[in-house]
Amino acid sequence: MKRKSWIKLLVLVFLFQCLWHFDAARAEEQGTSYESLPVVSDANTEALNSTNAAFGMASGDYILNNWYTKAYMGRASSSSAVASQRQGKLASIRNNITWKITSRGSGYYTISCTVNAKTYYLRNASKTSMKVALVNTKAYTDQDLWFISGTSSRITIKNKDTGNYLGACVNIASGICVYSAASEKASWRFVKSLSYGTSGSNTYRELSSFSGSSISMHLGETKSVSLTKTPNVGNLLWSTSSDFTYTVIEGKQCVLADGKTIKAKALGNAKVKIVHIPTNMSITINVSVVSYDASLVAIYSEGRDRYSCLVSARKSLASAGMGDVRLKGGTDYSSSIDEITEMLKGSRLFVSRSHGYCDMKVVVSNGIEMISRSEGEAGIVLNADYLDENDLRNYPIIKYGAKELFDFSSGEVKADLSNLKIAVFCACETAGECYYKNTQSYNNLPNACIKCGAESAVGWTKKIGTTTANTWTNSLIKALAAGKTLKKAIYSADHNGYYVINVSNKLTTHKIFGNSETTLSGQ
C-alpha cells in the first residue's frame, strides 16, 4: 500500500474514535446508564466502607436519604437554590429531592439541579465551613467534584477540594452540612428516581400509609409497637424501625425505654405519637396500663417448695373470674426490688411465699457497711441465695424491706400502693416489732404497705413452718376468691382442718394491718 493511503486510513480511524468518545460522553452527560443500579438494602447494621475505593455509581437522577436523620436531601422548592433536608410524600416533593449525579471520571461526580433552566452545582467552598451551596456556573471546579464510595446500602460523598463529607445537620431544619470525617450523619441511602414511586411497576416502593393497634400492658411491662405498613408487597424503601420516631404526647403512664420500646410506669392511659420520618406521616396510639388481678410470688431457698401452693391458688382465683394473675416462681425465683415494687403497685392482691427475718441490722466494720443477724428491720428474701453480705445493693433481705416503700424516720412515701387491696407476706417475722435505728416499732413490710396507701396487709410476728404455711396460703387465697373478707378468709385458713398443726407451727401468729374487712370484689 502506498504511503498516502496509509495516512488516509490512520486519519479515518482517529476521526472514528473521536466521534465514539464524543457520543459516550454526551450519553453520560444526559444520564444514559451503562450499568445497572445495585440492589438497595436498608440493613442499618452494615458498616461504612472503610476503603476509599470508588463506588462506580452510574450517572443519572437520584434520590438521597440520610442514614442518620432519615430525611431526604432536597430543596425548599423546585425553584430554590438552597440545599436543605426535606420530608414528605413523593407526590408533593419529588421534584425537590431529585438530584442529577454525573460521573466526571476517577470516581468523582458532580451533583446538580436545575433552577429556571440554569444548572446549579452542589459546592463545598471552604474546609472550615459546615455549609454547602448550590452555585450556578457553566464550568465546574474541584469544589464541585465529589468522590462517591461505599456499598450498595449506603455511600459517602467526599469533596475533592476540601476533603469534607457531605452530610445532614443533626437538626433537620438546619439543612445540609459537611463533616471532616465519615459518619452516619455523612452517609446516604440512595435510589434512582425512576425506580422509586407508588405504583406496582416501580422497582422500589414508597410507604403510603401505616397503622398500629392500641396497647394494654401491666405496670413494669415493656412492649414494642407492631406496625402494619402499606404496601405490604414489593421492595418497600426506608421503612425499618429506625425510620420511625416515638413520642409520649399525653399522660405519664408510660415512657420510651430505648426510644421505641414502651414501658409502663403508672396505672392509667397515655398516648404515643409515631412519625415516619421520610414522609412525615404520623399516627397516635392509645396505651392503657392496667393492674393485675393478683401477683403471686414464690421464692425458692434451702430446698423448700413454696411454688406449688401458688399454682393451686391461681386456679382458685381463675374460677372466681380473676384470670389476670402473674405467677412468679418455680425456676424463675429471682426478683429485683423494682419488679416486686411494681407488682405491689400494679395488683389488687399481692402474695409472697418466701423466707423472712426480723432479726437483722446494718453495722459498720472498718468503714464497711455489713449485715448482722441480730436486730433490724423486717424483710423478705427475694431470690434463692444469700448474696455477699458486703453488697447491700443486691442483698435482698435488707434491700427490699419496709424502707423501700416507706421511710419511717422522715415519713416519706416511696411507692403509691393505693391500687393494692390486700398484701400477704407469708414469711417468718414479717409483721414483727422490728428494731429500726434502735427504736422498737412496727417498721415492717405490712405496715409500710398501709403507710403507702394499701387497704390491708398481713404478716407474721413469729417464725412459721414451711409446709403448713403453703397449705395455709392456698386456703387463704381460695377463701378470698370466694368473696370472704380478709378477716374471715384468715379464719378459714386457720381452721382448714389443720388448726392444731397451724398453732404448733406459729401460723396463728399473723397480724393484720389496715382494714380487716377488705374483700377482693370491686375495682
Side-chain angles (χ1 to χ4, degrees), residues 421-469:
K421 296 181 75 67
I422 300 173
V424 180
F425 298 96
C426 194
C428 299
E429 303 175 335
T430 48
E433 295 182 75
C434 301
Y435 288 91
Y436 183 73
K437 294 187 177 180
N438 299 318
T439 302
Q440 188 176 12
S441 62
Y442 287 109
N443 298 334
N444 54 41
L445 280 165
N447 194 24
C449 287
I450 301 304
K451 299 286 188 181
C452 293
E455 191 167 339
S456 58
V458 180
W460 271 257
T461 61
K462 304 288 185 181
K463 292 185 179 181
I464 56 178
T466 300
T467 303
T468 48

Side-chain angles (χ1 to χ4, degrees), residues 260-392:
K260 295 176 173 61
T261 305
I262 298 173
K263 182 172 183 178
K265 295 294 290 183
L267 299 175
N269 300 313
K271 293 183 182 296
V272 174
K273 182 179 182 180
I274 307 172
V275 178
H276 179 243
I277 307 172
T279 62
N280 209 28
M281 293 186 295
S282 66
I283 62 171
T284 299
I285 63 169
N286 296 316
V287 178
S288 298
V289 182
V290 298
S291 61
Y292 286 105
D293 289 331
S295 287
L296 312 178
V297 184
I299 309 303
Y300 176 92
S301 64
E302 300 177 358
R304 295 181 174 92
D305 176 19
R306 301 182 177 95
Y307 179 69
S308 299
C309 71
L310 296 184
V311 174
S312 299
R314 181 173 61 175
K315 295 178 182 178
S316 299
L317 291 169
S319 65
M322 297 178 65
D324 191 8
V325 176
R326 180 176 184 179
L327 174 60
K328 194 170 187 333
T331 58
D332 182 20
Y333 50 73
S334 178
S335 302
S336 69
I337 300 160
D338 290 342
E339 185 179 18
I340 294 294
T341 303
E342 285 164 355
M343 290 184 196
L344 285 164
K345 290 163 62 177
S347 306
R348 291 162 56 198
L349 168 66
F350 174 88
V351 178
S352 69
R353 268 296 292 120
S354 68
H355 197 26
Y357 278 113
C358 185
D359 58 352
M360 307 185 71
K361 69 175 183 178
V362 177
V363 298
V364 177
S365 176
N366 297 323
I368 300 175
E369 287 187 325
M370 300 181 66
I371 295 172
S372 170
R373 295 193 184 118
S374 58
E375 58 184 28
E377 75 180 293
I380 56 176
V381 179
L382 297 182
N383 55 19
D385 301 317
Y386 296 116
L387 303 180
D388 184 355
E389 290 189 341
N390 292 327
D391 190 351
L392 289 176

Side-chain angles (χ1 to χ4, degrees), residues 155-335:
I155 56 175
T156 58
I157 305 173
K158 184 178 182 180
N159 189 262
K160 183 176 183 179
D161 182 62
T162 66
N164 291 328
Y165 288 85
L166 182 66
C169 302
V170 175
N171 183 355
I172 290 177
S174 297
I176 302 299
C177 304
V178 292
Y179 296 90
S180 59
S183 65
E184 288 197 346
K185 293 184 284 291
S187 61
W188 300 87
R189 304 182 287 186
F190 64 96
V191 66
K192 267 197 169 180
S193 178
L194 291 178
S195 301
Y196 184 33
T198 57
S199 68
S201 61
N202 291 115
T203 308
Y204 305 104
R205 305 285 298 279
E206 178 186 45
L207 180 70
S208 59
S209 65
F210 68 100
S211 61
S213 301
S214 297
I215 292 178
S216 177
M217 56 200 308
H218 294 103
L219 203 63
E221 274 192 314
T222 57
K223 286 189 177 182
S224 297
V225 181
S226 179
L227 296 178
T228 301
K229 305 167 189 174
T230 304
N232 57 8
V233 294
N235 295 314
L236 190 60
L237 269 187
W238 306 326
S239 57
T240 62
S241 61
S242 63
D243 290 291
F244 297 85
T245 61
Y246 295 71
T247 307
V248 180
I249 60 172
E250 183 179 312
K252 297 181 179 180
Q253 283 70 27
C254 65
V255 295
L256 300 173
D258 58 2
K260 295 176 173 61
T261 305
I262 298 173
K263 182 172 183 178
K265 295 294 290 183
L267 299 175
N269 300 313
K271 293 183 182 296
V272 174
K273 182 179 182 180
I274 307 172
V275 178
H276 179 243
I277 307 172
T279 62
N280 209 28
M281 293 186 295
S282 66
I283 62 171
T284 299
I285 63 169
N286 296 316
V287 178
S288 298
V289 182
V290 298
S291 61
Y292 286 105
D293 289 331
S295 287
L296 312 178
V297 184
I299 309 303
Y300 176 92
S301 64
E302 300 177 358
R304 295 181 174 92
D305 176 19
R306 301 182 177 95
Y307 179 69
S308 299
C309 71
L310 296 184
V311 174
S312 299
R314 181 173 61 175
K315 295 178 182 178
S316 299
L317 291 169
S319 65
M322 297 178 65
D324 191 8
V325 176
R326 180 176 184 179
L327 174 60
K328 194 170 187 333
T331 58
D332 182 20
Y333 50 73
S334 178
S335 302

Side-chain angles (χ1 to χ4, degrees), residues 33 35-40 55 57-58 62 190-193 195 204:
S33 175
E35 59 183 352
S36 60
L37 180 71
V39 175
V40 175
F55 178 62
M57 179 180 285
Y62 285 86
F190 64 96
V191 66
K192 267 197 169 180
S193 178
S195 301
Y204 305 104

